[in-house]
Amino acid sequence: MSSISELYDVSWEEMRDKLRKWREENYRNSEQIVDVGEELINEHASKLGDDIWIIYEQVMIAALDCSRDDLAWSCLQELKRQFPDSHRVKRLAGMRLEALERYEDANKLYDSILQDDPTNTAARKRKISILRAQGKSSEAIRELNEYLEQFVGDQEAWHELSELYINEHDYAKAAFCLEELMMTNPHNHLYCEQYAEVKYTQGGLENLELARKYFAQALKLNNRNMRALFGLYMGLFATSHQPYTPQNPEAQGFAARNRDEVDCVQLKFQHIHGEGLSC
Amino acid sequence: MAHLLLDSSIRLWVVLPIVFITFFVGILRHYVTQLIHNDKKVDLQQVSDSQVLLRSRILRENGKYLPKQSFAMRKHYFNNPDTGFFKKVKRKVIPKNPMTDPSTLTDMMKGNLTNVLPMILIGGWINWAFSGFVTTKVPFPLTLRFKPMLQRGIELISLDASWVSSASWYFLNVFGLRSMYTLILGQDNAADQSRIMQDQMTGAAMAMPPDPNKAFKSEWEALEIVEHKWALENVEEELMCQDLNFRGLFI
């Protein structure tokens, strides 16, 4: 089996830089990380200097993803030897226990970290993910709510909570979480689009109109977002068919305008469709 | 204006050594500070409070991207007269007396030791060692009021205030080498004296103001006056008006 550097003709510096890029941009290509990282660790450990510790951490998490317990164990040993009292290393040990499905031991480990340092967010989040892995979603939701009461600014947690609520079909609360995310990242078209989808799923005239607006906003932020375009189309279609009711005298005006917009969007769709067909 | 020609050995033996001394003492101070620095223990309550304040601030700034109802809900949560967060939550604040609280006392002492003391010592030594002659000339004219300050050890009444002694060259260096430190030691280095002095002047420079109640009150006021103007009012019309540039997107 030839090594990565032979297969792709890259030097060890390029491999290290690639790992750094994956680390900074939060890629989850675990198999690639394991291949590249393992070779770096085995062949070029001395040349890496102090970078090696963070590479150990990155490779260990990727190894847990690929069920490579041998590699994970060896990385953990090296890290433990270098940083004996570190909370970060303890968290990695806990993650390994989680991967082996020894949830009780992992929980005990995280509790010990929290006793030492109550502000440690990583340990808390791991405990919640244990609950999620065990399928106890209502408890996971409760714990996550408590966590968010204390750490209101944690965006990863808000996103996780919105996913949990969507799985439970509690769309109102999922919309709330997504609103938090939209508030902190107003220029992220993906949050707008997800929020619009949740609103669309909730249904009802007001929600459909909100959904349309947010799909339009997502398109404005990024005009390549196909899901948003499709969502906008469906939203326009749905609202244009709403009947005129006495409570909502504007609905007819809306309906007329909507039909124009539906035609507009349809034209654009056909345009893409046509271009797509021509390829 | 009097044109003085200074001996070039002044340049060699005074100006440059002072630059080097200041520079290396600064670097030394940076490493010593790192060695005797101990991590500040953060309180969970403080972290939580600072995040809540951040959230409220973001609500004020970016609330216009949320639907009216959601914005009203959040504003209500914070500002409701009976149950609002900023109205209801009062943190018990123990005023930390800087004299008696041991941790702040040691911090202050360490700060003084690493920053003020070397400056005084070295300033005094330079004043003693390099006294009695003119070191350099500042490029802009100064008034006579500056003479006693900048011309220590030079007793000439008719000399322009622009000609300064070595002590003032030393102080010039202390502030001027700040950007050099940033270049070499990276941002946020402990050799940056002027920043530390700034911190001392603005009072307690801690992660959270010691009085969260005051912060809450000011945040409450700010949130009260903010109005919700929905940014997405006309987004659909705007979208329809502009060309979405699909050409060439799908090959």
Side-chain angles (χ1 to χ4, degrees), chain A residues 213-225:
Chain A
K213 294 242 187 266
Y214 280 97
F215 275 129
Q217 171 77 344
L219 266 182
K220 210 165 134 197
L221 291 171
N222 178 1
N223 68 345
R224 306 168 90 133
N225 191 337

Side-chain angles (χ1 to χ4, degrees), chain B residues 67-231:
Chain B
K68 210 178 184 69
Q69 179 72 2
S70 318
F71 180 81
M73 182 166 44
R74 287 174 167 82
K75 185 169 163 180
H76 187 83
Y77 164 74
F78 280 123
N79 279 9
N80 189 20
D82 301 319
T83 60
F85 185 83
F86 289 142
K87 281 271 154 189
K88 197 172 56 151
V89 169
K90 300 264 176 242
R91 297 270 175 244
K92 204 157 144 313
V93 164
I94 314 155
K96 287 172 78 163
N97 193 345
M99 285 305 128
T100 58
D101 194 20
S103 61
T104 41
L105 194 62
T106 40
D107 273 341
M108 221 167 61
M109 211 179 68
K110 275 186 229 169
N112 278 341
L113 204 66
T114 45
N115 293 314
V116 179
L117 200 63
M119 197 160 89
I120 295 177
L121 282 177
I122 298 193
W125 176 76
I126 287 186
N127 211 6
W128 172 81
F130 298 111
S131 68
F133 53 85
V134 167
T135 300
T136 183
K137 177 173 180 290
V138 291
F140 44 86
L142 290 174
T143 62
L144 288 171
R145 297 286 294 272
F146 287 103
K147 267 185 58 159
M149 191 166 70
L150 297 174
Q151 283 180 357
R152 285 291 169 90
I154 307 166
E155 313 294 342
L156 285 178
I157 306 174
S158 60
L159 189 59
D160 269 319
S162 306
W163 297 96
V164 297
S165 66
S166 30
S168 41
W169 171 243
Y170 169 67
F171 282 111
L172 196 74
N173 269 297
V174 164
F175 293 106
L177 283 171
R178 214 164 30 101
S179 41
M180 285 281 286
Y181 292 141
T182 318
L183 197 65
I184 296 184
L185 297 171
Q187 279 286 57
D188 201 34
N189 60 72
D192 201 347
Q193 262 196 333
S194 62
R195 200 169 58 89
I196 294 167
M197 285 205 260
Q198 232 172 15
D199 282 346
Q200 283 175 346
M201 276 189 261
T202 56
M206 290 197 276
M208 173 81 189
D211 193 4
N213 292 329
K214 235 185 291 175
F216 285 167
K217 186 146 197 322
S218 57
E219 195 60 42
W220 174 82
E221 283 166 9
L223 199 54
E224 271 293 301
I225 61 177
V226 92
E227 256 186 29
H228 178 254
K229 192 173 177 322
W230 201 23

Side-chain angles (χ1 to χ4, degrees), chain A residues 173-221:
Chain A
K173 301 211 180 101
F176 182 87
C177 303
L178 285 167
E179 279 161 12
E180 286 292 320
L181 286 171
M182 273 201 310
M183 201 165 72
T184 43
N185 305 294
H187 302 294
N188 186 334
H189 64 103
L190 295 170
Y191 290 145
C192 279
E193 185 232 306
Q194 240 183 338
Y195 180 68
E197 284 176 1
V198 168
K199 282 289 170 199
Y200 184 87
T201 319
Q202 272 184 298
L205 181 60
E206 289 140 26
N207 288 332
L208 283 175
E209 300 212 335
L210 264 179
R212 263 178 34 209
K213 294 242 187 266
Y214 280 97
F215 275 129
Q217 171 77 344
L219 266 182
K220 210 165 134 197
L221 291 171

